[in-house]
Structure formats: C-alpha cells, structure tokens
Amino acid sequence: MDKNKIILRVREGLITTKARALAPEVLLDLEKCSAKKYEVDYFKQPEYSISSDIKFKKEEFDVSPSKWTIPDLLGFMGKQCPALLEQLRPVVKDGAGILIPGVAIMYGADVTLKHPLAGKAKGAGLAVWFFPPTNKALVELSFGGYVRDRAELDPLYAEIGKFLKEAGLLKAEQVSKTEQYFRAYIGR
C-alpha cells in the first residue's frame, strides 16, 4: 500500500482510506463512501490527499486489535463500499503482505483559534497520538479552510509555525502522522 501511496486507518466507527502524494495528479481519486475529502497538508512542502471514509456503528465491526484480520477488514469494507474496495483490489489483493506494525492510541479535541488571522479558518483541532509500547508520541494542531481562502490562511499557518518554533514546541522535521507512525513502529 505504501508503494501505491495508499493509507488505511481503522478507528472506532471509522475506516479511512487515503491517497497521499506530493503532486495531486498522481493520486488515486478514491470512490466516495460515507464521506470524501480533498486536502493539502503542510509539512516541509505541501502534500495532497484524497480520503474516503466508511462510517459504521460499534456493533457492526469490532476494531479491537485481536478481533479482526486483514481479510475480515477487506470483507467488511467490500460490504459497506464495494466501489472503493474494487478500486483498491489491485493494491490490497486478498490482504496478504499487509502489515499492521502497531496500534496507536489517539486523543483529539476541537479547539478555537483566537488569533486575528483565524477568521477564515473552518474548524481547528488538537490531536495527541501515542505509539505503545514505544516511547514515541506526537501532538498536532490543525486547522482547515477552503482553497478560495488560502491567501488569508497561509499567513495564519506561518504565524502559528513561527510562534511554535520560537517556543521550542515545533519539531524540526515536519512529517505526517502516518509517517511518524511507521517510524515509531518499524523505524523507517
């Protein structure tokens, strides 16, 4: 999946399939299931992503690590969103070779940005991810907005980045949560 720039996240009530790359034209335009998003994430350079979510009730699929296998997950995804699974089939095949190196624990909260430049921001969040049993963790402050408002949101991004860097709170190398997950569990 990594070679094809596809990420699969399984959480309580939500399975997210994400295609992420440095150029939008190389992304797989994923089929819409429950919801679909187009995003630009800012790290050392912008990364583009398209994600498709499958929302479900707790009793429909138990996400506890010992309760399912990759074939179980693919079977559930196929029932919930056949078009997406069909699109992924060349990459995931029957699930053989897909590795889940660890289970992250995530806590998140919606936050309000109180900043003069935050007027065009459409929601903000704070997430904390732990990667047990490693000693690795990350904290992410994020905000969203529309592309049409980018000229007004870019200065907000720059201002927050400058503040966090000067306060010693910004990691020198900025990479995605997914990349940090793989670094924590398999050291890449």
Side-chain angles (χ1 to χ4, degrees), residues 11 105-111 124-130 140 142:
R11 301 181 210 175
I105 299 170
M106 187 201 96
Y107 299 94
D110 293 332
V111 298
L126 185 69
V128 180
W129 287 43
F130 297 99
E140 174 192 57
S142 63

XYZ file of all heavy atoms in Angstrom, residues 11 105-111 124-130 140 142:
132
model
N -10.378 3.001 12.882
C -10.687 3.563 14.196
C -12.105 3.169 14.578
O -12.890 2.761 13.731
C -10.619 5.090 14.169
C -9.290 5.639 13.777
C -9.333 7.142 13.807
N -8.401 7.632 12.811
C -8.245 8.890 12.499
N -8.971 9.805 13.069
N -7.367 9.261 11.603
N -2.711 4.977 19.844
C -3.816 5.477 20.660
C -3.910 6.969 20.400
O -2.907 7.685 20.490
C -3.563 5.204 22.163
C -3.456 3.700 22.404
C -4.663 5.824 23.011
C -2.984 3.334 23.797
N -5.094 7.437 20.060
C -5.264 8.842 19.703
C -6.326 9.493 20.579
O -7.368 8.896 20.842
C -5.692 8.971 18.241
C -5.713 10.417 17.784
S -6.743 10.682 16.336
C -8.249 11.210 17.069
N -6.028 10.700 20.993
C -6.991 11.545 21.687
C -7.096 12.836 20.892
O -6.089 13.350 20.409
C -6.527 11.863 23.112
C -6.372 10.631 23.974
C -5.136 9.992 24.100
C -7.466 10.091 24.629
C -4.992 8.859 24.871
C -7.330 8.949 25.408
C -6.098 8.336 25.524
O -5.958 7.203 26.281
N -8.285 13.340 20.742
C -8.461 14.564 19.974
C -9.488 15.480 20.601
O -10.359 15.034 21.353
N -9.356 16.753 20.281
C -10.304 17.750 20.775
C -10.443 18.855 19.739
O -9.477 19.200 19.054
C -9.802 18.339 22.094
N -11.655 19.377 19.632
C -11.858 20.565 18.815
C -11.376 21.762 19.617
O -11.559 21.810 20.836
C -13.344 20.740 18.478
C -13.859 19.635 17.559
O -13.064 19.092 16.781
O -15.058 19.324 17.629
N -10.733 22.702 18.951
C -10.235 23.898 19.620
C -10.678 25.131 18.844
O -11.076 25.039 17.683
C -8.694 23.886 19.769
C -8.234 22.721 20.619
C -7.997 23.855 18.423
N -10.736 23.812 13.944
C -9.366 23.522 14.347
C -9.404 22.380 15.348
O -10.418 22.152 16.011
C -8.711 24.757 14.964
N -8.295 21.662 15.436
C -8.249 20.532 16.348
C -6.873 20.334 16.934
O -5.868 20.811 16.400
N -6.860 19.648 18.042
C -5.618 19.263 18.708
C -5.682 17.749 18.874
O -6.664 17.229 19.413
C -5.490 19.950 20.063
C -4.187 19.715 20.810
C -3.031 20.405 20.085
C -4.283 20.225 22.226
N -4.691 17.044 18.383
C -4.650 15.589 18.490
C -3.348 15.166 19.156
O -2.304 15.771 18.921
C -4.749 14.939 17.108
N -3.445 14.149 19.994
C -2.273 13.559 20.627
C -2.281 12.080 20.265
O -3.287 11.394 20.480
C -2.301 13.731 22.161
C -1.060 13.112 22.790
C -2.442 15.193 22.546
N -1.190 11.602 19.693
C -1.058 10.201 19.306
C 0.058 9.573 20.134
O 1.150 10.136 20.252
C -0.685 10.081 17.834
C -1.772 10.392 16.864
C -2.672 11.414 16.915
C -2.072 9.680 15.669
N -3.501 11.382 15.827
C -3.150 10.321 15.041
C -1.528 8.557 15.060
C -3.692 9.880 13.848
C -2.065 8.114 13.862
C -3.137 8.769 13.273
N -0.217 8.409 20.699
C 0.776 7.609 21.410
C 0.992 6.323 20.614
O 0.046 5.792 20.025
C 0.292 7.260 22.818
C 0.099 8.459 23.697
C -1.163 9.006 23.889
C 1.176 9.053 24.334
C -1.348 10.112 24.693
C 1.002 10.168 25.141
C -0.266 10.698 25.323
N -0.473 17.298 17.498
C -0.733 18.005 16.247
C -1.822 19.053 16.457
O -2.888 18.764 16.976
C -1.194 17.010 15.182
C -1.614 17.684 13.893
C -2.330 16.738 12.949
O -3.349 16.149 13.346
O -1.858 16.612 11.809
N -4.117 21.429 14.179
C -4.511 21.551 12.774
C -5.687 22.497 12.641
O -6.432 22.719 13.596
C -4.891 20.175 12.214
O -6.018 19.665 12.901
